[in-house]
């Protein structure tokens, strides 16, 4: 019996495999690159490493290659995000950029709803503070 909380094994392939996840992440990070709240959360000058990590994570979660776990171990998403100031504003900005990215994939309604439900739940789970975003000095 499969867990109804997990995606079906074919989801990865059904939405287009690696190319679909690369597109999703590329469009998402196009928005993050110019976002004054989210961009400072990425210490690398180039967003390339972050893009690669998110692509690998999402591919693995949705039934693709297990490269993420092979290279980085267990995802531990909350723990990995604890060093960052993830408040409701940051979450909402993340969701907005991800909405643009999901829309760019032009998925079937069922695939879109399945993916979007997960992404929204994940974004809400990453909130670790309700303090306002610190101002740059």
């Amino acid at each position: 019996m499969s867990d109804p909380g997990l995606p079906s094994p074919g989801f990865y392939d059904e939405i287009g495999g690696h190319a679909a996840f690369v597109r999703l992440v590329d469009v998402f990070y196009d928005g993050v690159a110019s976002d004054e709240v989210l961009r400072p959360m990425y210490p690398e000058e180039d967003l390339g490493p972050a893009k690669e990590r998110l692509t690998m994570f999402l591919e693995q979660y949705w039934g693709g290659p297990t490269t993420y776990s092979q290279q980085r171990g267990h995802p531990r998403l909350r723990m990995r995000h604890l060093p960052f100031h993830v408040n409701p504003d940051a979450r909402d900005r993340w969701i907005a950029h991800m909405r643009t990215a999901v829309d760019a994939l032009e998925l079937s309604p069922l695939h879109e709803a399945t993916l979007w439900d997960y992404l929204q739940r994940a974004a809400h789970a990453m909130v670790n503070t309700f303090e306002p975003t610190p101002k740059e000095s």
Side-chain angles (χ1 to χ4, degrees), residues 77-88:
L77 292 181
R78 282 235 0 126
M79 184 200 78
R80 291 185 193 274
H81 288 82
L82 276 177
F84 304 103
H85 190 92
V86 183
N87 64 8

Side-chain angles (χ1 to χ4, degrees), residues 13-125:
D13 292 320
E14 289 170 4
I15 71 162
H18 180 72
F21 286 95
V22 167
R23 172 100 171 109
L24 177 75
V25 172
D26 281 348
V27 173
F28 170 72
Y29 277 107
D30 284 349
V32 168
S34 60
D35 190 294
E36 71 228 12
V37 170
L38 298 180
R39 182 60 182 97
M41 293 185 196
Y42 298 89
E44 294 109 345
E45 189 172 316
D46 174 16
L47 288 170
K51 287 170 126 179
E52 185 177 330
R53 290 188 299 268
L54 182 57
T55 301
M56 289 188 307
F57 170 77
L58 291 172
E59 286 182 319
Q60 178 171 307
Y61 181 85
W62 293 101
T66 59
T67 313
Y68 184 92
S69 288
Q70 292 167 3
Q71 291 185 9
R72 298 183 52 83
H74 189 281
R76 300 180 308 229
L77 292 181
R78 282 235 0 126
M79 184 200 78
R80 291 185 193 274
H81 288 82
L82 276 177
F84 304 103
H85 190 92
V86 183
N87 64 8
D89 179 42
R91 175 205 58 214
D92 293 347
R93 289 165 178 266
W94 190 96
I95 288 172
H97 296 303
M98 193 55 81
R99 179 74 257 173
T100 300
V102 170
D103 289 345
L105 295 180
E106 300 179 351
L107 300 173
S108 73
L110 178 59
H111 289 120
E112 184 277 329
T114 301
L115 179 60
W116 187 240
D117 176 66
Y118 168 75
L119 293 168
Q120 284 188 296
R121 287 184 292 114
H124 284 272

